Amino acid sequence: MVNKVVEVKLSAAEEQEKWLADALNVVKQQAFYMRRALDSGNLREALKYSAQMLSELRTSKLAPQKYYELYIVVCGELQNLEAFFWDEHKMRGRSCVDLYELVQHAGNIVPRLYLLCTVGAVYIRSKEGPAKEVLSDLSEVCKGVQHPIRGLFLRAHLTQCSRDKLPDTGSEYEGEGGTVEDAVEFLLQNFTEMNKLWVRMQHQGPATEREKREQERRELRDLVGKNLHLLSQLEGVNLDMYKTLVLPRILEQIVNCRDEIAQQYLMDCLIQVFPDDFHLNTLETLLGACPELQPTVDVRTIMSQLMDRLSTFMDKNPDALPHFLEVDAFAKFNSAVSKVMEAQTEMPLKGVVSLHLALLQFVLRVHPDRLDYIDQVLAACVGILDARRQTKDSPTTKQLVALLSSALDKFGKGGVMTVLQLPHYARVMGHLDHETNKSMAVVIIQNMVKHETTIGDPEKVECLLSLVRHLTQDMDGVPPVDELDMDDFSEEQNLVARLVHLLVNPDPRIQFQILSIIRTHLFKGGQSRLRFTIPSLVFCSLQLVHQLLAQGITGADQALAAAGAAASQAALAAAAAGEGAVTPLTLFLFLHKVVESLSEFVPPLALKLALECAQVASACGLEPIAYDLFTLAFVIYEEEISDSKAQVTALHLIIGTLQRCHVFSEENRDTLTHKATGYSAKLLKKADQCRAVCACAHLFWSDEEDGPRDGERVVLCLKRALKIANAAAQQLSAAARVPGSHVVLLVEILNKYLYFFDKGNPHVTPVVLQGLIELINSELAMDGATVDATVHGFYRATLAHIRDQKHKAGAVGEKYSEIQI
């Protein structure tokens, strides 16, 4: 029977692990023999085993990451060999030139060059030969390995061996060993060759493994960048050398390699490793390379990092501002951004906005006082946005919000005033979709509210309200208000209402202009918005009335009030344009117009505001205006309010406000009182009629000295209320409902009688009160009467009040003594 050998196929990762393990085993074995030969002082045997160990680096099987692991182990073993070479030279007097020639007898080029670099480090250290010549020779011979991975790691080994042996200014190898120019030349050559090898890796292997190769290259990028790091650490590299030699050579290699990964990394590395003042003095050269990079290179990130570094440099060194101005840093950045936009016409909008955001942040940190610079950045961004016309994608929107928020955040309390001075700020904001525009408007208003920022310039107010119009107006193509989240909507509109109170100017004439502008904008908001925002406008206007009164400007312009509608409207238009005088009358004409317009959208609110205005007009002595406002309130009540509950609320508001107004002549007051009483008697429910008529009784009796005191008409109102209450009882009886439920009305009427009895109304006598008490007692004693416990409590409390009054000494007790309970 024949046993078959089953071959197990390994995965690619497993194969890599196996190959690495095999190579490491060989390295360890040969390294052991090499160390044993070194211990015995047998140089030839040591070189033989070291060459066999280094031969493992000739492999093409390992991926770059695995090759790197092998390379690290081998280099660790080579340190032992380097130490031996130094001992040979130092202790035994062996010439480094002999060692340098001896290692060149290795059979294969890769082991030979690794050994040559190792001996070369000792050669330079021994100073038997000039460092510049040894470094130049090593750099040249390393060109013999052109395999991308093997060559890259070989030169990395050369860099590592020579890093502390360069003829830098002030180093022990300067002078006969060379100058800093030689060190720079060596590092630049090594950088150039390593970059070429690194780029060549991209073109090895099939196209299907492109992403894999790109990832492998990114893992090896630090090997190339190490040269730039060493260049930046050279003491002898000053600004002049960097400007004339180092930077042009580096940029030439970066641009000419035409590789996206290399250009992206090396530009970033260049920015990070060299000093900030070097960048500041070579901005034009450095930025000039950006438009020449591949279109797929993320230039935004490169330029953003450069601007951020220079901004941080400015933050740490405020005295550097004159230098920034001297080199005209902003103009160079701005020009570079424009050239990048021209060169990369297909750059995504997100990248475009991000690049301008970085430039704006640079300006805000370095030149915060230059609003013209800020607006230039916004203008450039707007120009591109206008040309593209498609800015509604989410990533672009986020960058636009960040762009717009930068100025607000930077200037804090003065953020809103600052952005209002930027002509292109609103145009950038116009490229936001509706919801984001609303969110940005909320941020603007919240900034004002947080810092209590006030704006008193009509032009600035107009600009601001245009800026936040997505909060104050119904826009085309957006969902109707009833489809929105009402909690969010209410919060937004309340914020707008708070904004109105921040738009103020101590000059009444200018303040009235501002109020007129606010009115124009707010009335574009529709019914749902007006109920939140118009009250703020009205109360700001009334506040201005009080301000005028405090300045001694009263309602003396009665002649204009009586001059007719045409003259009044002409005065109003002139004041709104800032040409006419602003008086309380002017403001009330304005308010009358506001409330009248509002009544078409939100009648109950318009009625409340009309009454508020009427009460203030009364205090100003403007009888015609107050009368017109009450007339308007009655018109709104009659024509616009149909809900019975809303009618009851509105009527009580009218009665309560009319009671507090004492400006009316007897004729006008009788007219208004008659209307109020008439509407009270026409309410839908008898109980509502009864209570409203009771309330009207207060219109004929006032505690004020100049107020009405018509006791007879008070009693007539109360009698009418009592009649309505009895009618309510009859309706309940006819409907076969439980009798006694109208008793609460009788108790309320009794309390009204007691109020006017206490106030000294001669027509309210103890006899009248006694009769009403007996009526209530009889109603409660009626068979089948069911009265709520709260009504019983109400009645008992009323009787308790009477008893308390009876027990009082003096006129009060005597007055109540005739009432029997």
Side-chain angles (χ1 to χ4, degrees), residues 407-418:
L408 284 176
D409 297 338
K410 173 64 180 180
F411 294 103
K413 184 175 181 178
V416 175
M417 289 300 296
T418 300

Side-chain angles (χ1 to χ4, degrees), residues 574-628:
E579 298 173 356
V582 177
T583 64
L585 174 62
T586 312
L587 282 162
F588 283 116
L589 291 172
F590 171 77
L591 287 167
H592 190 286
K593 195 171 182 180
V594 168
V595 173
E596 189 175 19
S597 301
L598 181 64
S599 64
E600 301 176 11
F601 303 100
V602 196
L605 177 60
L607 185 140
K608 290 179 184 179
L609 295 176
L611 295 174
E612 289 282 353
C613 296
Q615 189 172 344
V616 179
S618 173
C620 293
L622 294 173
E623 182 185 1
I625 294 295
Y627 186 83
D628 285 346

